[in-house]
Amino acid sequence: MAYLQNLEKSLYNLVTETSTNLPKDVRRAIKAAKEAENAGTRAAMSLDTITTNIVMAEDNVSPICQDTGLPTFKVYTPVGVNQIEIRKAIETAIAAATGDAKLRPNSVDSLTGKNSGTNIGAGLPVVKFEQWENDYITIKLILKGGGCENKNIQYSLPTELEGLGRAGRDLDGIRKCILHSVWQAQGQGCSAGFIGVGIGGDRSSGYDLAKEQLFRHVDDVNPIEDLAKLEQYIVEKSNTFGVGTMGFGGEATLLGCKIGVMDRLPASFFVSVAYNCWAYRRMAIDINPETGEIINWHYQEGEKITFRDEEKEEAGDNKVVELTAPISEEQIRSLKVGDVVKITGRMYTGRDAIHHHLIGEGVEAPVDLNGQIIYHCGPVMAKDENDNWVVKAAGPTTSIREEPYQGDIMKKFGIRAVMGKGGMGPKTLKALEEHGGVYLNAIGGAAQYYADCIKSVDGVDLMEFGIPEAMWHLSVEGFTAVVTMDSHGNSLHADVEKSSLDKLAQHAERVF
């Protein structure tokens, strides 16, 4: 009994640490990116917000990012250790951490859309076991959010790649695929990111290999010389693309690349890429198999960058505009791409389920949305001692998922601004121009920074969709974002995608 209690406590501590405190090697990579960025730029301001958020998450012991992903465990056990007990202990720890708002409830029935509320469901959490000859248990955990998960990509060689041409079944073809994978992510995966790459296998084992690379240390060196050179090359060349932090343009697009290789079928040649956001949340512990207690934490080598007492970036030449909803069309049309807005007052969350619901024929919104701001966000919520809802984490989600709906919904309900991350496409851009609207890009992953701007939760509608998908009524103060799509047909995202494609194409010639 003591063993199981200790094991559950150890696992709970692993989940909490992974969700709230970035490892030392990731912090050093972010510090290097910040030092490489040009002062006063949108990218520099974004990195400033990111490092502030890292400090707040550690101090608050709250999620760095509101999207805590599908908890994925890799467990190594000595022969004879009861793996069934470990799986049950993992589920108990996950449910407890979810109840304590260390994780967002992310387990959704794929057929009914019902959220279990506990992160326990069919196939979840993901737990993979492997036996070994060591006399201790190692448990690794990665929390990889949906925004970066959606930017994973798999290539089947030979293939034709935009900007790079033919990629064949050789090391140079692999090089082209990896470069393309970084470019196609743009800012939608919360750049600057990290990638794990799997060469070979079949479609499923290739992705498994790619994700396994994300457990490597950022500053390790691949033991295969050709892959070590390729990893270094990919990071160096990706940072010439100009995608930058959040896709705003800038010097830091990729912070790490780790590549693994396995044998393949003669007929198949897959290159699988797992893209991870800047909020690179993975941790591992060693456990005594007799007591269930933690005997070692991984990723403890080297200096820990605290990001405390750093100078704050100013807005530079960007105009700062105060906004309070309801917003008039005249106010909206005065905004231009690059303007920084600070929002005070009311805004409403709305993401996938809300948009699917509101587009229905004859469906009315639960509140008057005319002149309002919709925030693409699935927050982490908790009840206080008075049974009132409080926001524990509230960064933006990736907006491109709402592209089929957004323009029509803005026109239907009179919405003037939508806010998220990563930008939207041509259909939404056209609607912004016709209707008089703007897209505001908040800083992806900055869940504590934005939670601090939310002063009260004044109501909630459509809770039947689950906490992440409900419409939360939020009262905010000084909530900062950047205009990246305006009502005059301008899109920073389209501009960066085009310019970065030109830079990608400069690497079409054979290198390896």
Side-chain angles (χ1 to χ4, degrees):
M1 184 63 69
Y3 163 76
L4 288 177
Q5 289 176 342
N6 288 338
L7 180 61
E8 289 168 7
K9 180 180 178 181
S10 296
L11 287 162
Y12 180 92
N13 290 340
L14 171 63
V15 172
T16 300
E17 181 73 5
T18 308
S19 179
T20 65
N21 193 1
L22 278 186
K24 290 181 178 181
D25 59 338
V26 178
R27 289 168 176 261
R28 291 194 295 269
I30 293 172
K31 174 71 171 179
K34 193 173 183 182
E35 290 175 346
E37 202 53 72
N38 296 314
T41 61
R42 289 183 289 264
M45 290 175 59
S46 301
L47 285 163
D48 191 64
T49 300
I50 284 169
T51 54
T52 299
N53 185 77
I54 292 169
V55 173
M56 294 175 72
E58 184 179 9
D59 288 350
N60 299 337
V61 195
S62 286
I64 297 164
C65 174
Q66 78 288 338
D67 187 353
T68 52
L70 296 184
T72 301
F73 295 83
K74 186 70 179 287
V75 183
Y76 299 85
T77 62
V79 175
V81 169
N82 190 328
Q83 296 181 349
I84 296 173
E85 285 185 341
I86 293 177
R87 182 182 291 275
K88 289 180 179 177
I90 286 173
E91 291 182 356
T92 299
I94 285 290
T98 305
D100 291 343
K102 307 303 181 186
L103 297 174
R104 188 177 72 183
N106 275 352
S107 180
V108 177
D109 187 299
S110 297
L111 298 181
T112 67
K114 182 175 175 57
N115 192 314
S116 73
T118 62
N119 276 309
I120 309 299
L124 300 181
V126 178
V127 185
K128 299 179 180 181
F129 287 97
E130 188 172 318
Q131 283 191 333
W132 63 2
E133 294 183 352
N134 293 325
D135 61 359
Y136 56 89
I137 300 166
T138 291
I139 301 180
K140 300 178 179 182
L141 169 62
I142 187 166
L143 302 175
K144 188 173 182 296
C148 62
E149 183 69 13
N150 289 345
K151 299 316 294 184
N152 291 357
I153 191 167
Q154 190 172 66
Y155 303 89
S156 179
L157 297 179
T159 190
E160 289 283 335
L161 299 173
E162 187 174 9
L164 294 170
R166 184 184 302 113
R169 291 185 165 193
D170 55 20
L171 192 60
D172 203 67
I174 293 165
R175 173 190 71 86
K176 288 184 176 181
C177 289
I178 302 172
L179 285 177
H180 185 271
S181 76
V182 177
W183 171 79
Q184 63 85 36
Q186 291 291 302
Q188 293 174 12
C190 283
S191 56
F194 302 80
I195 56 172
V197 181
I199 302 169
D202 60 10
R203 287 200 179 273
S204 61
S205 62
Y207 266 132
D208 284 344
L209 180 62
K211 285 194 173 182
E212 182 70 24
Q213 304 312 301
L214 295 175
F215 283 116
R216 287 172 52 191
H217 288 249
V218 173
D219 44 11
D220 74 5
V221 178
N222 200 307
I224 302 173
E225 185 177 356
D226 283 345
L227 296 186
K229 291 177 180 177
L230 183 56
E231 289 174 353
Q232 183 178 3
Y233 170 92
I234 292 295
V235 174
E236 178 186 330
K237 300 307 179 187
S238 294
N239 287 327
T240 68
F241 292 172
V243 172
T245 304
M246 293 298 121
F248 287 168
E251 305 302 316
T253 297
L254 189 67
L255 303 183
C257 171
K258 302 299 174 186
I259 306 172
V261 63
M262 64 188 296
D263 285 3
R264 61 177 178 84
L265 289 163
S268 302
F269 198 124
F270 297 113
V271 178
S272 309
V273 183
Y275 187 96
N276 206 98
C277 59
W278 69 260
Y280 187 7
R281 294 157 292 169
R282 50 94 168 98
M283 183 49 66
I285 52 176
D286 298 330
I287 291 177
N288 185 321
E290 302 296 327
T291 67
E293 295 175 326
I294 297 172
I295 56 176
N296 181 50
W297 287 88
H298 292 218
Y299 305 106
Q300 300 306 305
E301 299 85 354
E303 181 186 6
K304 179 179 179 179
I305 307 298
T306 67
F307 297 114
R308 299 177 190 276
D309 303 320
E310 293 193 342
E311 291 186 11
K312 301 301 180 185
E313 286 286 338
E314 300 297 329
D317 296 331
N318 299 307
K319 183 172 70 172
V320 179
V321 180
E322 304 280 347
L323 281 183
T324 302
I327 309 166
S328 69
E329 181 178 350
E330 182 182 6
Q331 285 177 291
I332 288 296
R333 293 203 182 274
S334 71
L335 296 174
K336 303 287 193 301
V337 163
D339 290 346
V340 176
V341 301
K342 287 192 174 182
I343 301 163
T344 297
R346 173 60 52 80
M347 63 185 186
Y348 300 94
T349 66
R351 39 182 279 161
D352 306 75
I354 295 287
H355 284 74
H356 182 263
H357 170 71
L358 291 179
I359 204 65
E361 187 174 350
V363 174
E364 295 296 325
V367 294
D368 182 5
L369 294 175
N370 189 46
Q372 297 295 328
I373 301 166
I374 288 291
Y375 183 28
H376 297 160
C377 172
V380 178
M381 306 295 294
K383 289 286 188 77
D384 65 14
E385 63 275 9
N386 299 315
D387 203 38
N388 297 315
W389 286 109
V390 292
V391 179
K392 304 299 288 186
T397 195
T398 309
S399 298
I400 196 64
R401 301 194 307 274
E402 317 313 335
E403 178 69 6
Y405 309 110
Q406 195 66 77
D408 295 333
I409 285 177
M410 291 186 77
K411 293 176 180 179
K412 179 178 179 180
F413 297 104
I415 297 164
R416 289 295 173 192
V418 293
M419 179 163 55
K421 70 176 177 73
M424 303 194 75
K427 182 179 179 183
T428 300
L429 184 62
K430 183 179 179 182
L432 297 178
E433 190 171 11
E434 293 173 350
H435 168 66
V438 292
Y439 177 83
L440 307 174
N441 205 124
I443 307 306
Q448 293 304 305
Y449 178 86
Y450 286 121
D452 191 56
C453 298
I454 299 170
K455 302 309 176 183
S456 65
V457 180
D458 301 329
V460 60
D461 289 301
L462 302 171
M463 270 291 281
E464 61 266 31
F465 297 146
I467 285 175
E469 298 286 352
M471 178 178 278
W472 296 94
H473 309 190
L474 307 177
S475 179
V476 305
E477 186 177 308
F479 201 106
T480 304
V482 178
V483 178
T484 53
M485 298 168 67
D486 64 25
S487 61
H488 308 287
N490 302 308
S491 169
L492 174 66
H493 309 284
D495 292 345
V496 170
E497 183 174 348
K498 183 178 183 301
S499 63
S500 60
L501 178 61
D502 292 340
K503 293 172 182 175
L504 174 72
Q506 294 173 14
H507 305 291
E509 296 300 319
R510 176 172 289 276
V511 175
F512 291 95

